[in-house]
Amino acid sequence: MEVSVIGTSQATFCSGGELAPCSRELRFCVPKRNGDALYFLDRNSRRRCRNSRLQLTLTAAAQSEPVRSDSFPVQEPATIPDSVNKVKLFVGLPLDVVSDCHSVNHARAITAGLKALKLLGVEGVEVPVWWGLVEKEEMGEYEWSGYLAVAEMVQTAGLKLHVSLCFHGDRQHKVSLPRWVLKIGESNHSIFYTDRSGEAYEDCLSLAVDDLPVLDGRTPLQVYKGFCESFRSTFAQFLGSTITGVTMGLGPDGELQYPSHHQPSNNNIPGVGEFQCYDENMKDQLKQHAASLGNPLWGLAGPHDAPTYNQTPDSSPFFNELSGSWQSPYGDFFLSWYSNQLLSHGDRLLSMASNVFTDTGVTTHGRVPLMHSWFKTRSRALENTAGFYSTDGKDAYEAFAEMFAQTSCGMIIPGMDLSDDEQPDQSMSSPEMLLKQIQAACKKHGVGVSGMNSGLRLNGFDRISKNVVGDENNVVDLFTYQRMGAEFFSPEHFPSFTQFARGLNQPFAGLDSDDLPTEETLPVEAPVPSNAEMQTA
């Protein structure tokens, strides 16, 4: 059975060791799943070709035929002017691209995917590098072999690599902090963020211990620096050529924020989150700050009337629109201190990363969250619990953009696929307005902006294109699409992504069949990343 793949190659399917002849053209080469059965859809008859051990072999075709848009529905991208050629397109690799035993997961599939991306004109890929995998057992003992293999694969494919250094854990994907760090945390819970009920968040360290020798006599900042220096030394041959960018992990989900909203919402309307200032070190710093201002009673604890995770702003006395204490002198004191602590944390880590990677030819970046729920309220509670003092009349993003500029780091903003129309009315949300506010602050301070999609879904290309191109405030120079996996190469998604990639790389000359991967076998019965694994690292 010969099959046209993305209009540029042919494929032979082997079923039970025998060729299954078929004269029809299949629309796409990636299998669909129905229970345990794998099948491919015939474009004309929609016939299913099933077998529990199908294998796909890509071979270069002598002639190629472009995919016809009338044969498959695709989402048309927005009209894109020539200026968008300046935007570099990256695609995130699966979060588990390197296994717990330091091998490359689904190596053949990754290789085939890299070649497909190269043919589309994609600039490169992004890889999450987990602290909990590399420095797992002992402080200062690094195992880079899996990530070195990924870098070599990317280099061979002729793509660029952006590395995200992840100093956080991810419970959903079963990635934790290093075991030796968790062991320290068993006897010293104050190294973790803690909420008002005393629950510790163990997926990253509290910013309050950045400069405290809580890790067997070393500070977290020293440990992070050692990790970065080891990475620089180990990957020296790739820096500035294959590896062009490094993102410094700054907190939960790699972003510069407090873990204020890590509890799942009990409905479709997100709560405002909780302040994370109740570990012993945060409380000590709050007490010292209050005493230095002559108001020691303000430093006894966080706000007594603060909300719980799933409360709405008006159900909390602190964030009430009309009478909330966020408007009082105490509210200003606390929110200013809370945000400045996060700002200083970002400055420490980004300054360190910028210094480590000076003169390597790579750009350094940090990521901020897009906390867009309750944006249209005066108190903007969700942003405040996350550490961005942005109540009515306050603009935290000015200070954060200035800090990024001073550390010579670019800012990564997620959520560029989100639109206001898709948000529940009750959430008072505006991802579009918040994105414009952050971009305007970055433009004012000369900070380069890289974009990302939310990772919650595939597609959203219309909104991405508008945010990448947009008005004069848009300063996006790089966009990373999250994330490669089973859905990414599905027939429901990949044709739309192809249209999007073409728009970002005009003029697009088409795929040359002579450049196709040859004799690469992709065992489709092997496990593939799940939908959940496509989320942002």
Side-chain angles (χ1 to χ4, degrees):
M1 173 164 36
E2 293 189 345
V3 185
S4 210
V5 181
I6 324 177
T8 64
S9 69
Q10 292 179 326
T12 300
F13 287 87
C14 301
S15 177
E18 297 180 359
L19 295 180
C22 179
S23 61
R24 299 180 184 272
E25 180 185 76
L26 293 190
R27 191 59 196 90
F28 200 77
C29 65
V30 175
K32 297 286 291 178
R33 286 189 180 272
N34 184 1
D36 293 329
L38 295 172
Y39 62 89
F40 290 79
L41 295 182
D42 182 300
R43 177 174 62 86
N44 296 317
S45 68
R46 313 298 290 176
R47 183 177 60 186
R48 295 179 180 180
C49 305
R50 298 178 179 230
N51 189 277
S52 61
R53 289 187 60 81
L54 282 176
Q55 286 194 331
L56 167 64
T57 301
L58 295 177
T59 57
Q63 295 180 346
S64 62
E65 180 181 346
V67 170
R68 296 184 295 275
S69 60
D70 60 348
S71 66
F72 194 90
V74 296
Q75 178 181 349
E76 292 295 333
T79 301
I80 301 175
D82 291 340
S83 63
V84 81
N85 288 326
K86 300 177 182 178
V87 180
K88 298 175 182 178
L89 177 62
F90 280 64
V91 173
L93 293 177
L95 293 175
D96 69 341
V97 64
V98 172
S99 72
D100 194 51
C101 57
H102 308 292
S103 62
V104 178
N105 277 327
H106 322 302
R108 293 186 186 181
I110 295 295
T111 298
L114 293 176
K115 291 180 178 180
L117 295 178
K118 176 65 176 178
L119 293 172
L120 283 178
V122 170
E123 177 80 7
V125 292
E126 176 265 345
V127 60
V129 174
W130 297 98
W131 183 29
L133 288 182
V134 175
E135 199 177 359
K136 181 193 300 185
E137 301 295 345
E138 298 289 341
M139 181 169 57
E141 294 185 4
Y142 309 103
E143 178 53 76
W144 297 106
S145 57
Y147 294 108
L148 280 168
V150 170
E152 291 169 357
M153 292 168 66
V154 174
Q155 184 181 62
T156 299
L159 294 168
K160 303 299 183 183
L161 183 62
H162 188 106
V163 175
S164 297
L165 302 179
C166 302
F167 294 100
H168 64 281
D170 189 323
R171 299 179 192 182
Q172 183 179 1
H173 301 101
K174 299 180 181 179
V175 179
S176 69
L177 297 184
R179 291 176 182 172
W180 60 273
V181 173
L182 294 177
K183 185 176 181 180
I184 292 172
E186 291 175 0
S187 57
N188 183 9
H189 286 286
S190 63
I191 67 173
F192 302 121
Y193 289 109
T194 305
D195 62 20
R196 186 168 54 175
S197 68
E199 181 181 355
Y201 178 81
E202 298 184 358
D203 282 338
C204 71
L205 298 180
S206 169
L207 61 79
V209 298
D210 281 352
D211 291 317
L212 300 179
V214 295
L215 299 180
D216 290 338
R218 301 192 72 195
T219 70
L221 192 60
Q222 290 172 330
V223 172
Y224 299 151
K225 183 179 180 181
F227 187 92
C228 292
E229 289 175 338
S230 177
F231 174 84
R232 171 176 172 159
S233 174
T234 304
F235 290 82
Q237 62 178 314
F238 299 102
L239 297 178
S241 53
T242 298
I243 299 175
T244 57
V246 173
T247 296
M248 182 67 190
L250 300 173
D253 300 322
E255 297 177 340
L256 184 56
Q257 61 166 310
Y258 292 98
S260 56
H261 61 290
H262 68 273
Q263 294 285 359
S265 177
N266 51 20
N267 53 50
N268 292 329
I269 308 302
V272 300
E274 282 198 22
F275 293 115
Q276 305 290 310
C277 58
Y278 295 92
D279 64 78
E280 293 302 318
N281 299 297
M282 286 289 283
K283 289 194 294 185
D284 285 346
Q285 292 180 16
L286 176 61
K287 184 182 299 184
Q288 294 171 15
H289 182 65
S292 71
L293 296 179
N295 291 295
L297 294 180
W298 284 358
L300 296 180
H304 70 279
D305 54 356
T308 56
Y309 288 104
N310 290 317
Q311 281 188 283
T312 61
D314 278 344
S315 65
S316 155
F318 187 84
F319 283 118
N320 184 275
E321 285 288 276
L322 298 178
S323 58
S325 53
W326 62 271
Q327 303 173 87
S328 67
Y330 168 77
D332 178 67
F333 155 79
F334 175 79
L335 293 175
S336 296
W337 169 81
Y338 189 70
S339 186
N340 284 334
Q341 292 292 98
L342 184 68
L343 183 68
S344 297
H345 169 72
D347 181 61
R348 287 189 291 269
L349 268 62
L350 290 178
S351 295
M352 177 273 291
S354 184
N355 289 332
V356 169
F357 294 108
T358 297
D359 300 326
T360 61
V362 305
T363 57
T364 51
H365 304 257
R367 199 167 95 209
V368 299
L370 192 74
M371 312 297 288
H372 55 84
S373 293
W374 310 111
F375 178 88
K376 296 178 182 178
T377 64
R378 293 178 59 234
S379 63
R380 293 171 64 169
L382 187 66
E383 295 167 78
N384 278 285
T385 58
F388 293 85
Y389 189 10
S390 296
T391 59
D392 186 23
K394 300 284 185 178
D395 186 356
Y397 302 101
E398 283 275 349
F400 281 84
E402 183 178 9
M403 180 270 290
F404 272 77
Q406 291 173 348
T407 57
S408 302
C409 291
M411 182 183 291
I412 299 175
I413 309 174
M416 289 198 172
D417 56 325
L418 301 178
S419 65
D420 289 2
D421 293 341
E422 299 171 323
Q423 310 307 316
D425 291 339
Q426 303 95 311
S427 70
M428 302 293 285
S429 172
S430 181
E432 295 177 28
M433 293 175 64
L434 179 55
L435 180 59
K436 287 182 179 179
Q437 179 180 347
I438 300 174
Q439 286 181 303
C442 288
K443 183 177 181 181
K444 177 180 178 180
H445 293 282
V447 176
V449 172
S450 299
M452 273 175 51
N453 54 326
S454 61
L456 301 177
R457 59 176 184 171
L458 299 172
N459 296 318
F461 298 118
D462 258 349
R463 173 50 51 186
I464 293 171
S465 297
K466 290 176 183 177
N467 286 328
V468 165
V469 182
D471 57 33
E472 68 273 6
N473 281 330
N474 285 7
V475 287
V476 177
D477 54 14
L478 183 152
F479 182 80
T480 301
Y481 190 76
Q482 302 291 8
R483 174 174 301 280
M484 186 189 290
E487 274 192 53
F488 182 84
F489 287 110
S490 71
E492 291 80 12
H493 172 263
F494 197 71
S496 296
F497 178 79
T498 300
Q499 294 274 358
F500 172 68
R502 287 176 173 178
L504 288 182
N505 291 279
Q506 295 177 3
F508 183 79
L511 302 179
D512 187 348
S513 61
D514 291 338
D515 294 328
L516 285 171
T518 59
E519 299 303 326
E520 287 290 338
T521 301
L522 174 62
V524 298
E525 76 275 10
V528 294
S530 66
N531 294 345
E533 290 172 318
M534 297 180 193
Q535 303 302 311
T536 298

